[in-house]
Amino acid sequence: MSFFFSFFKTLIGKEIAVELKNDVALTGKLHSVDQYLNIKLTDVQVVDGDKFPQLQAMNNCFIRGSVVRYVQIAPSDVDTEMLQDAARQQNKETSKP
């Protein structure tokens, strides 16, 4: 879990899209994330505003990590070398006898 937490902390200030388990999809700037992968977004836009008009006025939101289905990140915001190094490091730590 700390692997994902560390990764998401590198995305603070970046634009992400979050799809929730209730089919609501939001885009916004990642403001913060905690160890439970709860997400706070700013500059929020609802992807399908016609389907969820009650959410149109929302500017900021807090999303409980347990209701997130997917998080989409721009490929340019992903440091693949850092991810590979972190995955190798975590694999070494978990495979020690």
Side-chain angles (χ1 to χ4, degrees), residues 20-94:
L20 308 181
K21 291 179 181 176
N22 65 356
D23 295 326
V24 172
L26 306 167
T27 61
K29 190 179 294 185
L30 181 62
H31 181 267
S32 63
V33 62
D34 66 14
Q35 69 270 23
Y36 303 106
L37 301 181
N38 297 320
I39 295 171
K40 183 174 181 185
L41 292 178
T42 57
D43 303 325
V44 175
Q45 297 289 317
V46 180
V47 173
D48 191 357
D50 295 336
K51 190 173 177 185
F52 303 101
Q54 69 276 20
L55 301 177
Q56 290 288 27
M58 185 171 47
N59 293 325
N60 304 311
C61 71
F62 176 85
I63 304 168
R64 184 180 166 111
S66 64
V67 301
V68 173
R69 182 179 294 151
Y70 299 113
V71 176
Q72 296 178 349
I73 304 157
S76 61
D77 292 336
V78 179
D79 183 350
T80 54
E81 285 185 35
M82 185 272 303
L83 279 177
Q84 290 171 347
D85 290 343
R88 283 188 202 102
Q89 182 65 31
Q90 185 167 1
N91 188 36
K92 283 182 188 178
E93 291 172 6
T94 58

